[in-house]
Amino acid sequence: MDQLRTLIMVHEAGTALGAARILGREQSSVQKQIDTMNRNFRELCGEPLILKQGRGKDVLFTGTGEALVELARGTLGDWLDGIHESRRRLGKTLMVGTTRFTLSYLAGAGERVTEDFRQRGIELKVGHVRTRDVLAKLRAKDVDLVCGSVVTRPEGDDELAAFDVMEWRRSGVSLLTNLSEAELPGPTAPTSALRTLPLVVSASGLMAGVLHTWFGGDYRGKLRIAAEIDTVNYGFELLRSGLLRGCMLVTKGVADAAGDPRVVYGRGLRAVELVNDTGPRLEVLLGAFTRRGERASYDPAHPLNLLWDALAQENARWQREQRWPTAGLEPDPFELANSYDPSES
Protein backbone atom coordinates (compact mmCIF):
# COMPACT_ATOMS: atom_id res chain seq x y z
CA MET A 1 0.00 0.00 0.00
CA ASP A 2 2.86 2.35 0.81
CA GLN A 3 4.49 1.61 -2.55
CA LEU A 4 1.25 2.41 -4.36
CA ARG A 5 0.99 5.72 -2.50
CA THR A 6 4.59 6.53 -3.44
CA LEU A 7 3.89 5.72 -7.09
CA ILE A 8 0.92 8.11 -7.13
CA MET A 9 2.99 10.89 -5.56
CA VAL A 10 5.78 10.46 -8.13
CA HIS A 11 3.16 10.62 -10.89
CA GLU A 12 1.76 13.85 -9.46
CA ALA A 13 5.10 15.50 -8.61
CA GLY A 14 7.01 14.31 -11.68
CA THR A 15 10.16 13.32 -9.79
CA ALA A 16 11.27 11.22 -6.84
CA LEU A 17 12.54 14.38 -5.15
CA GLY A 18 9.17 16.10 -5.53
CA ALA A 19 7.35 13.05 -4.19
CA ALA A 20 9.74 12.85 -1.22
CA ARG A 21 8.96 16.47 -0.32
CA ILE A 22 5.20 15.81 -0.43
CA LEU A 23 5.55 12.66 1.67
CA GLY A 24 8.06 14.16 4.09
CA ARG A 25 10.61 11.46 3.40
CA GLU A 26 14.15 11.12 2.07
CA GLN A 27 14.57 11.02 -1.70
CA SER A 28 16.64 7.84 -1.39
CA SER A 29 13.69 6.06 0.31
CA VAL A 30 11.31 7.03 -2.48
CA GLN A 31 13.83 6.12 -5.17
CA LYS A 32 14.39 2.70 -3.57
CA GLN A 33 10.67 1.94 -3.72
CA ILE A 34 10.46 3.05 -7.36
CA ASP A 35 13.49 0.92 -8.29
CA THR A 36 11.91 -2.11 -6.58
CA MET A 37 8.58 -1.65 -8.41
CA ASN A 38 10.37 -1.10 -11.71
CA ARG A 39 12.34 -4.32 -11.30
CA ASN A 40 9.29 -6.36 -10.28
CA PHE A 41 7.11 -5.12 -13.14
CA ARG A 42 9.83 -5.58 -15.71
CA GLU A 43 9.81 -9.24 -14.68
CA LEU A 44 5.98 -9.49 -14.45
CA CYS A 45 4.99 -7.52 -17.56
CA GLY A 46 8.17 -7.07 -19.56
CA GLU A 47 8.05 -3.30 -19.03
CA PRO A 48 9.12 -1.05 -16.16
CA LEU A 49 6.73 1.50 -14.69
CA ILE A 50 8.93 4.58 -14.97
CA LEU A 51 11.74 5.71 -17.29
CA LYS A 52 14.26 8.36 -16.31
CA GLN A 53 14.52 11.32 -18.69
CA GLY A 54 17.76 12.81 -17.54
CA ARG A 55 18.91 15.11 -14.77
CA GLY A 56 16.35 17.77 -13.79
CA LYS A 57 13.61 16.35 -16.02
CA ASP A 58 10.33 14.71 -14.98
CA VAL A 59 10.24 10.94 -15.24
CA LEU A 60 8.25 9.28 -18.02
CA PHE A 61 5.54 6.79 -17.09
CA THR A 62 5.17 3.81 -19.43
CA GLY A 63 1.82 2.39 -20.45
CA THR A 64 2.12 -0.15 -17.65
CA GLY A 65 2.99 2.64 -15.22
CA GLU A 66 -0.01 4.76 -16.19
CA ALA A 67 -2.32 1.76 -15.84
CA LEU A 68 -0.95 0.92 -12.40
CA VAL A 69 -1.32 4.53 -11.22
CA GLU A 70 -5.03 4.45 -12.09
CA LEU A 71 -5.40 1.07 -10.39
CA ALA A 72 -3.55 2.37 -7.31
CA ARG A 73 -5.84 5.42 -7.06
CA GLY A 74 -8.91 3.18 -7.16
CA THR A 75 -7.48 0.72 -4.66
CA LEU A 76 -6.46 3.37 -2.14
CA GLY A 77 -9.76 5.19 -2.66
CA ASP A 78 -11.74 2.02 -1.91
CA TRP A 79 -9.69 1.45 1.24
CA LEU A 80 -10.28 5.01 2.43
CA ASP A 81 -14.01 4.71 1.73
CA GLY A 82 -14.11 1.55 3.83
CA ILE A 83 -12.21 3.20 6.67
CA HIS A 84 -14.49 6.27 6.61
CA GLU A 85 -17.57 4.01 6.59
CA SER A 86 -16.31 2.20 9.70
CA ARG A 87 -15.52 5.53 11.35
CA ARG A 88 -19.04 6.80 10.69
CA ARG A 89 -20.64 3.58 11.94
CA LEU A 90 -18.64 3.55 15.17
CA GLY A 91 -19.11 7.28 15.69
CA LYS A 92 -15.63 7.93 17.05
CA THR A 93 -15.26 10.99 14.83
CA LEU A 94 -18.01 13.27 13.53
CA MET A 95 -17.26 15.44 10.50
CA VAL A 96 -19.43 18.57 10.25
CA GLY A 97 -19.39 21.27 7.60
CA THR A 98 -20.80 24.75 8.07
CA THR A 99 -21.03 27.93 6.06
CA ARG A 100 -19.93 31.17 7.66
CA PHE A 101 -23.51 32.21 8.31
CA THR A 102 -24.56 28.99 10.07
CA LEU A 103 -21.53 28.62 12.32
CA SER A 104 -23.37 30.19 15.26
CA TYR A 105 -26.12 27.55 15.02
CA LEU A 106 -23.50 24.82 15.26
CA ALA A 107 -21.61 26.54 18.07
CA GLY A 108 -24.75 26.67 20.22
CA ALA A 109 -25.63 23.06 19.47
CA GLY A 110 -22.05 21.97 20.11
CA GLU A 111 -22.23 23.28 23.68
CA ARG A 112 -25.11 20.88 24.31
CA VAL A 113 -23.11 17.77 23.37
CA THR A 114 -19.53 18.76 24.26
CA GLU A 115 -19.42 17.10 27.68
CA ASP A 116 -21.02 13.85 26.45
CA PHE A 117 -18.63 13.72 23.50
CA ARG A 118 -15.65 14.38 25.78
CA GLN A 119 -16.58 11.58 28.19
CA ARG A 120 -17.09 9.12 25.33
CA GLY A 121 -13.90 10.14 23.50
CA ILE A 122 -15.78 11.39 20.42
CA GLU A 123 -13.94 13.90 18.26
CA LEU A 124 -16.04 16.63 16.62
CA LYS A 125 -14.31 18.01 13.54
CA VAL A 126 -15.66 21.17 11.93
CA GLY A 127 -14.77 22.54 8.50
CA HIS A 128 -15.79 25.52 6.40
CA VAL A 129 -18.08 24.71 3.46
CA ARG A 130 -18.99 27.22 0.78
CA THR A 131 -22.69 27.57 0.07
CA ARG A 132 -22.33 26.17 -3.44
CA ASP A 133 -20.78 22.97 -2.00
CA VAL A 134 -23.28 22.21 0.77
CA LEU A 135 -24.87 19.15 -0.84
CA ALA A 136 -21.80 18.15 -2.86
CA LYS A 137 -19.79 17.66 0.36
CA LEU A 138 -22.45 15.27 1.64
CA ARG A 139 -22.61 13.33 -1.62
CA ALA A 140 -18.82 12.90 -1.60
CA LYS A 141 -19.02 11.77 2.06
CA ASP A 142 -16.53 14.45 3.05
CA VAL A 143 -18.82 15.37 5.96
CA ASP A 144 -21.48 13.59 8.01
CA LEU A 145 -23.66 16.64 8.54
CA VAL A 146 -23.67 20.12 7.02
CA CYS A 147 -25.35 23.39 8.01
CA GLY A 148 -26.04 25.83 5.20
CA SER A 149 -28.40 27.10 2.52
CA VAL A 150 -29.64 25.65 -0.76
CA VAL A 151 -31.91 26.93 -3.51
CA THR A 152 -35.09 24.89 -3.77
CA ARG A 153 -38.70 25.04 -4.96
CA PRO A 154 -41.73 25.44 -2.68
CA GLU A 155 -43.46 22.40 -4.14
CA GLY A 156 -40.46 20.17 -3.49
CA ASP A 157 -37.12 19.40 -5.05
CA ASP A 158 -35.89 16.05 -6.36
CA GLU A 159 -32.33 16.98 -5.45
CA LEU A 160 -33.21 17.03 -1.76
CA ALA A 161 -34.75 13.53 -1.91
CA ALA A 162 -31.35 12.03 -1.13
CA PHE A 163 -31.03 13.95 2.15
CA ASP A 164 -32.63 14.30 5.56
CA VAL A 165 -33.41 18.00 5.95
CA MET A 166 -33.95 19.99 9.14
CA GLU A 167 -35.54 23.19 7.89
CA TRP A 168 -34.79 26.34 9.88
CA ARG A 169 -35.96 29.10 7.54
CA ARG A 170 -37.26 29.62 4.02
CA SER A 171 -36.92 32.88 2.17
CA GLY A 172 -37.86 34.19 -1.25
CA VAL A 173 -35.62 36.32 -3.49
CA SER A 174 -35.58 40.11 -3.45
CA LEU A 175 -33.53 43.01 -4.75
CA LEU A 176 -31.62 45.62 -2.81
CA THR A 177 -31.14 48.75 -4.86
CA ASN A 178 -29.96 52.34 -4.80
CA LEU A 179 -32.10 53.16 -7.85
CA SER A 180 -34.84 55.73 -7.40
CA GLU A 181 -38.56 54.93 -7.41
CA ALA A 182 -38.72 56.48 -10.88
CA GLU A 183 -36.03 54.11 -12.17
CA LEU A 184 -37.39 51.04 -10.39
CA PRO A 185 -40.90 51.35 -8.92
CA GLY A 186 -41.70 49.22 -5.89
CA PRO A 187 -42.46 47.51 -3.65
CA THR A 188 -42.44 44.58 -6.10
CA ALA A 189 -41.03 43.89 -9.55
CA PRO A 190 -41.34 40.93 -11.96
CA THR A 191 -38.30 38.71 -12.41
CA SER A 192 -38.40 39.49 -16.15
CA ALA A 193 -37.37 43.05 -15.24
CA LEU A 194 -33.93 41.69 -14.35
CA ARG A 195 -33.15 41.64 -18.08
CA THR A 196 -33.04 45.44 -18.19
CA LEU A 197 -31.74 46.37 -14.75
CA PRO A 198 -28.04 46.95 -13.97
CA LEU A 199 -27.15 44.04 -11.68
CA VAL A 200 -24.50 43.37 -9.08
CA VAL A 201 -24.10 39.57 -9.07
CA SER A 202 -22.02 37.02 -7.22
CA ALA A 203 -19.56 35.04 -9.29
CA SER A 204 -20.89 31.86 -7.67
CA GLY A 205 -23.17 30.73 -4.88
CA LEU A 206 -26.90 30.81 -4.26
CA MET A 207 -27.88 33.82 -6.36
CA ALA A 208 -25.76 32.68 -9.28
CA GLY A 209 -27.74 29.44 -9.12
CA VAL A 210 -31.01 31.40 -9.12
CA LEU A 211 -30.03 33.35 -12.23
CA HIS A 212 -28.84 30.14 -13.90
CA THR A 213 -32.24 28.52 -13.28
CA TRP A 214 -34.25 31.51 -14.51
CA PHE A 215 -32.18 32.60 -17.49
CA GLY A 216 -29.98 29.61 -18.40
CA GLY A 217 -26.28 28.91 -18.18
CA ASP A 218 -25.48 31.88 -20.43
CA TYR A 219 -27.35 34.35 -18.21
CA ARG A 220 -24.38 36.72 -18.20
CA GLY A 221 -24.94 37.31 -21.89
CA LYS A 222 -28.66 37.95 -21.40
CA LEU A 223 -28.51 40.31 -18.42
CA ARG A 224 -26.94 43.70 -17.72
CA ILE A 225 -24.12 42.72 -15.36
CA ALA A 226 -22.84 45.98 -13.90
CA ALA A 227 -20.42 44.31 -11.46
CA GLU A 228 -19.39 40.85 -10.24
CA ILE A 229 -18.61 40.42 -6.55
CA ASP A 230 -17.04 37.77 -4.35
CA THR A 231 -18.86 38.66 -1.12
CA VAL A 232 -22.27 40.12 -0.41
CA ASN A 233 -20.75 42.66 1.96
CA TYR A 234 -18.75 44.15 -0.90
CA GLY A 235 -21.97 44.39 -2.88
CA PHE A 236 -23.59 46.34 -0.03
CA GLU A 237 -20.64 48.71 0.14
CA LEU A 238 -20.57 49.17 -3.63
CA LEU A 239 -24.23 50.17 -3.77
CA ARG A 240 -24.03 52.36 -0.67
CA SER A 241 -21.01 54.20 -2.07
CA GLY A 242 -23.03 55.37 -5.07
CA LEU A 243 -20.16 54.52 -7.41
CA LEU A 244 -22.54 52.17 -9.16
CA ARG A 245 -26.29 52.52 -9.63
CA GLY A 246 -27.98 49.15 -9.72
CA CYS A 247 -29.50 46.19 -7.87
CA MET A 248 -28.26 43.13 -6.04
CA LEU A 249 -30.11 39.83 -5.61
CA VAL A 250 -30.41 38.70 -1.98
CA THR A 251 -32.77 36.53 0.03
CA LYS A 252 -35.96 38.23 1.15
CA GLY A 253 -34.79 37.81 4.74
CA VAL A 254 -31.62 39.78 4.00
CA ALA A 255 -33.62 42.45 2.19
CA ASP A 256 -36.00 42.77 5.15
CA ALA A 257 -33.12 42.86 7.61
CA ALA A 258 -31.41 45.60 5.63
CA GLY A 259 -34.20 47.92 6.72
CA ASP A 260 -33.33 47.32 10.37
CA PRO A 261 -31.46 50.37 11.78
CA ARG A 262 -28.94 48.02 13.46
CA VAL A 263 -27.67 46.83 10.07
CA VAL A 264 -25.37 49.48 8.67
CA TYR A 265 -24.78 47.59 5.42
CA GLY A 266 -28.31 48.23 4.23
CA ARG A 267 -28.69 51.88 5.14
CA GLY A 268 -29.73 54.00 2.20
CA LEU A 269 -30.78 50.97 0.16
CA ARG A 270 -34.31 50.00 -0.77
CA ALA A 271 -35.80 46.49 -0.89
CA VAL A 272 -37.90 45.38 -3.87
CA GLU A 273 -39.52 41.95 -3.70
CA LEU A 274 -39.33 39.86 -6.88
CA VAL A 275 -42.55 38.37 -8.24
CA ASN A 276 -41.83 35.38 -10.42
CA ASP A 277 -42.89 35.47 -14.07
CA THR A 278 -39.81 33.95 -15.72
CA GLY A 279 -39.29 30.39 -14.50
CA PRO A 280 -39.94 28.21 -11.48
CA ARG A 281 -40.56 29.89 -8.18
CA LEU A 282 -37.43 29.58 -6.08
CA GLU A 283 -36.74 29.82 -2.37
CA VAL A 284 -33.61 29.69 -0.24
CA LEU A 285 -33.81 26.99 2.42
CA LEU A 286 -31.58 27.38 5.45
CA GLY A 287 -31.07 24.30 7.57
CA ALA A 288 -29.10 21.18 8.43
CA PHE A 289 -28.61 18.24 6.07
CA THR A 290 -27.47 14.63 6.32
CA ARG A 291 -27.57 11.71 3.90
CA ARG A 292 -31.06 10.20 3.91
CA GLY A 293 -31.49 7.12 6.07
CA GLU A 294 -28.07 7.34 7.69
CA ARG A 295 -29.32 8.64 11.04
CA ALA A 296 -32.08 6.01 11.14
CA SER A 297 -29.49 3.25 10.70
CA TYR A 298 -27.66 4.36 13.84
CA ASP A 299 -28.49 4.02 17.51
CA PRO A 300 -30.22 7.10 19.06
CA ALA A 301 -27.06 7.66 21.12
CA HIS A 302 -24.87 7.85 18.00
CA PRO A 303 -23.07 11.22 17.82
CA LEU A 304 -24.79 12.14 14.55
CA ASN A 305 -28.22 11.73 16.13
CA LEU A 306 -27.19 13.59 19.28
CA LEU A 307 -25.88 16.57 17.31
CA TRP A 308 -28.95 16.57 15.07
CA ASP A 309 -31.21 16.75 18.13
CA ALA A 310 -29.04 19.50 19.62
CA LEU A 311 -29.37 21.56 16.43
CA ALA A 312 -33.15 21.18 16.57
CA GLN A 313 -33.14 22.39 20.19
CA GLU A 314 -30.90 25.34 19.29
CA ASN A 315 -33.19 26.39 16.46
CA ALA A 316 -36.23 26.18 18.75
CA ARG A 317 -34.47 28.36 21.30
CA TRP A 318 -33.62 31.06 18.75
CA GLN A 319 -37.17 31.13 17.47
CA ARG A 320 -38.55 31.27 21.01
CA GLU A 321 -36.22 34.06 22.12
CA GLN A 322 -36.29 35.95 18.79
CA ARG A 323 -32.58 36.62 19.05
CA TRP A 324 -29.68 36.56 16.63
CA PRO A 325 -26.31 34.80 17.01
CA THR A 326 -24.28 38.00 17.42
CA ALA A 327 -26.23 39.41 20.37
CA GLY A 328 -24.32 42.34 21.83
CA LEU A 329 -22.56 43.00 18.53
CA GLU A 330 -23.68 44.71 15.39
CA PRO A 331 -25.33 41.86 13.43
CA ASP A 332 -24.13 40.77 10.05
CA PRO A 333 -27.09 41.07 7.64
CA PHE A 334 -26.97 37.40 6.70
CA GLU A 335 -26.76 36.24 10.31
CA LEU A 336 -29.61 38.55 11.27
CA ALA A 337 -31.80 37.35 8.42
CA ASN A 338 -31.03 33.70 9.02
CA SER A 339 -31.88 33.69 12.70
CA TYR A 340 -34.40 36.47 13.21
CA ASP A 341 -37.52 37.38 11.27
CA PRO A 342 -38.16 41.14 11.70
CA SER A 343 -41.87 40.57 11.07
CA GLU A 344 -42.11 38.48 14.27
CA SER A 345 -41.37 41.34 16.67
Side-chain angles (χ1 to χ4, degrees):
M1 298 295 285
D2 187 55
Q3 286 181 341
L4 293 180
R5 183 180 66 152
T6 298
L7 183 69
I8 293 171
M9 290 300 102
V10 172
H11 189 271
E12 293 183 357
T15 64
L17 177 60
R21 287 172 176 166
I22 295 172
L23 295 169
R25 290 161 54 181
E26 294 294 329
Q27 180 182 359
S28 58
S29 171
V30 171
Q31 190 61 56
K32 182 177 180 181
Q33 285 187 313
I34 294 301
D35 291 343
T36 298
M37 286 188 284
N38 260 350
R39 183 173 59 255
N40 290 340
F41 275 85
R42 184 180 284 109
E43 295 175 0
L44 287 170
C45 304
E47 183 179 50
L49 302 177
I50 298 171
L51 300 174
K52 293 182 179 180
Q53 293 286 88
R55 187 176 181 85
K57 295 183 179 180
D58 287 356
V59 297
L60 175 67
F61 275 72
T62 65
T64 301
E66 292 286 355
L68 187 61
V69 167
E70 289 305 308
L71 181 61
R73 286 198 176 106
T75 300
L76 292 176
D78 290 343
W79 271 86
L80 287 174
D81 286 346
I83 291 170
H84 292 326
E85 192 63 39
S86 294
R87 172 187 59 77
R88 281 190 289 271
R89 179 176 53 81
L90 295 172
K92 287 300 182 182
T93 304
L94 191 64
M95 304 290 293
V96 180
T98 175
T99 62
R100 173 191 169 191
F101 306 114
T102 57
L103 182 58
S104 295
Y105 268 97
L106 181 62
E111 292 179 1
R112 298 174 182 271
V113 298
T114 295
E115 183 58 25
D116 185 18
F117 280 17
R118 186 189 66 78
Q119 292 181 4
R120 294 167 58 186
I122 297 167
E123 184 180 9
L124 177 63
K125 292 187 175 181
V126 180
H128 176 235
V129 174
R130 295 188 180 277
T131 300
R132 63 176 179 267
D133 297 327
V134 164
L135 299 183
K137 288 288 186 180
L138 278 174
R139 290 193 194 94
K141 296 188 176 181
D142 293 334
V143 295
D144 303 308
L145 180 150
V146 65
C147 304
S149 300
V150 298
V151 176
T152 187
R153 304 183 185 189
E155 65 274 13
D157 195 322
D158 291 341
E159 187 179 25
L160 293 180
F163 306 97
D164 287 337
V165 181
M166 181 193 300
E167 182 176 321
W168 295 336
R169 303 287 187 277
R170 277 183 184 261
S171 178
V173 181
S174 294
L175 290 175
L176 277 177
T177 183
N178 58 8
L179 297 176
S180 67
E181 287 273 2
E183 295 170 293
L184 177 58
T188 64
T191 54
S192 56
L194 295 177
R195 297 180 183 273
T196 60
L197 294 171
L199 299 177
V200 176
V201 301
S202 300
S204 61
L206 286 177
M207 295 306 151
V210 168
L211 292 176
H212 184 283
T213 301
W214 282 343
F215 300 101
D218 59 342
Y219 66 86
R220 286 179 174 80
K222 299 177 180 177
L223 304 175
R224 290 178 58 191
I225 307 298
E228 286 204 8
I229 57 173
D230 291 327
T231 67
V232 68
N233 287 344
Y234 182 75
F236 274 95
E237 293 169 4
L238 185 62
L239 291 175
R240 288 184 63 229
S241 72
L243 290 173
L244 181 147
R245 307 264 314 156
C247 313
M248 181 171 65
L249 267 73
V250 295
T251 66
K252 186 177 183 299
V254 170
D256 290 343
D260 191 300
R262 293 166 294 182
V263 183
V264 298
Y265 299 109
R267 290 176 190 167
L269 302 181
R270 183 167 55 93
V272 177
E273 185 176 352
L274 286 173
V275 179
N276 186 269
D277 69 344
T278 301
R281 184 183 167 200
L282 300 176
E283 294 180 335
V284 177
L285 187 159
L286 174 75
F289 307 83
T290 63
R291 288 175 288 275
R292 182 171 292 281
E294 198 162 280
R295 290 188 307 109
S297 69
Y298 297 146
D299 185 271
H302 188 280
L304 180 59
N305 285 318
L306 294 179
L307 184 59
W308 185 267
D309 292 342
L311 284 166
Q313 294 173 35
E314 188 67 10
N315 181 53
R317 179 172 71 91
W318 281 4
Q319 292 193 34
R320 184 173 61 252
E321 297 178 0
Q322 295 187 359
R323 63 180 293 274
W324 51 92
T326 52
L329 303 173
E330 183 176 278
D332 182 286
F334 264 117
E335 290 176 332
L336 181 63
N338 287 342
S339 60
Y340 165 81
D341 185 347
S343 67
E344 295 175 352
S345 64

Short mmCIF file of all heavy atoms in Angstrom, two decimals, residues 8 72 74 113 162 191 209 239 285 330 340-341 345:
data_model
loop_
_atom_site.label_atom_id
_atom_site.label_comp_id
_atom_site.label_asym_id
_atom_site.label_seq_id
_atom_site.Cartn_x
_atom_site.Cartn_y
_atom_site.Cartn_z
N ILE A 8 1.86 7.02 -6.81
CA ILE A 8 0.92 8.11 -7.13
C ILE A 8 1.58 9.46 -6.92
O ILE A 8 1.43 10.38 -7.74
CB ILE A 8 -0.35 7.99 -6.26
CG1 ILE A 8 -1.14 6.74 -6.64
CG2 ILE A 8 -1.23 9.24 -6.40
CD1 ILE A 8 -2.29 6.43 -5.71
N ALA A 72 -3.95 2.01 -8.68
CA ALA A 72 -3.55 2.37 -7.31
C ALA A 72 -4.52 3.40 -6.73
O ALA A 72 -4.90 3.31 -5.56
CB ALA A 72 -2.13 2.91 -7.30
N GLY A 74 -7.66 3.86 -7.49
CA GLY A 74 -8.91 3.18 -7.16
C GLY A 74 -8.80 2.33 -5.93
O GLY A 74 -9.69 2.31 -5.07
N VAL A 113 -23.62 19.15 23.46
CA VAL A 113 -23.11 17.77 23.37
C VAL A 113 -21.64 17.65 23.75
O VAL A 113 -21.11 16.54 23.82
CB VAL A 113 -23.31 17.22 21.94
CG1 VAL A 113 -24.78 17.17 21.58
CG2 VAL A 113 -22.53 18.05 20.91
N ALA A 162 -32.42 12.89 -1.61
CA ALA A 162 -31.35 12.03 -1.13
C ALA A 162 -30.86 12.44 0.26
O ALA A 162 -29.91 11.84 0.78
CB ALA A 162 -30.18 12.07 -2.10
N THR A 191 -39.66 39.20 -12.16
CA THR A 191 -38.30 38.71 -12.41
C THR A 191 -37.84 39.00 -13.84
O THR A 191 -36.65 39.12 -14.09
CB THR A 191 -38.23 37.20 -12.16
OG1 THR A 191 -39.25 36.53 -12.93
CG2 THR A 191 -38.44 36.88 -10.69
N GLY A 209 -26.89 30.59 -8.79
CA GLY A 209 -27.74 29.44 -9.12
C GLY A 209 -29.15 29.86 -9.48
O GLY A 209 -29.79 29.27 -10.36
N LEU A 239 -22.98 49.45 -3.55
CA LEU A 239 -24.23 50.17 -3.77
C LEU A 239 -24.34 51.39 -2.85
O LEU A 239 -24.79 52.46 -3.28
CB LEU A 239 -25.41 49.24 -3.56
CG LEU A 239 -25.59 48.13 -4.60
CD1 LEU A 239 -26.74 47.21 -4.21
CD2 LEU A 239 -25.84 48.70 -5.99
N LEU A 285 -33.54 27.78 1.21
CA LEU A 285 -33.81 26.99 2.42
C LEU A 285 -32.55 26.95 3.26
O LEU A 285 -31.50 26.51 2.81
CB LEU A 285 -34.25 25.58 2.03
CG LEU A 285 -34.74 24.64 3.14
CD1 LEU A 285 -35.60 23.53 2.52
CD2 LEU A 285 -33.60 24.01 3.93
N GLU A 330 -22.90 44.28 16.53
CA GLU A 330 -23.68 44.71 15.39
C GLU A 330 -23.88 43.50 14.47
O GLU A 330 -22.91 42.89 14.02
CB GLU A 330 -22.95 45.81 14.62
CG GLU A 330 -23.75 46.33 13.46
CD GLU A 330 -23.03 47.48 12.80
OE1 GLU A 330 -23.13 48.61 13.28
OE2 GLU A 330 -22.37 47.22 11.79
N TYR A 340 -33.46 35.54 12.60
CA TYR A 340 -34.40 36.47 13.21
C TYR A 340 -35.28 37.04 12.11
O TYR A 340 -34.79 37.61 11.14
CB TYR A 340 -33.59 37.56 13.90
CG TYR A 340 -34.37 38.81 14.28
CD1 TYR A 340 -35.13 38.86 15.43
CD2 TYR A 340 -34.29 39.96 13.49
CE1 TYR A 340 -35.81 40.01 15.78
CE2 TYR A 340 -34.95 41.12 13.84
CZ TYR A 340 -35.71 41.14 14.98
OH TYR A 340 -36.37 42.27 15.33
N ASP A 341 -36.57 36.86 12.24
CA ASP A 341 -37.52 37.38 11.27
C ASP A 341 -38.07 38.70 11.79
O ASP A 341 -38.79 38.72 12.79
CB ASP A 341 -38.67 36.38 11.06
CG ASP A 341 -39.62 36.84 9.97
OD1 ASP A 341 -39.53 38.01 9.56
OD2 ASP A 341 -40.47 36.02 9.56
N SER A 345 -41.47 40.52 15.46
CA SER A 345 -41.37 41.34 16.67
C SER A 345 -42.14 42.64 16.52
O SER A 345 -42.60 42.98 15.44
CB SER A 345 -39.89 41.63 16.98
OG SER A 345 -39.33 42.39 15.93
#
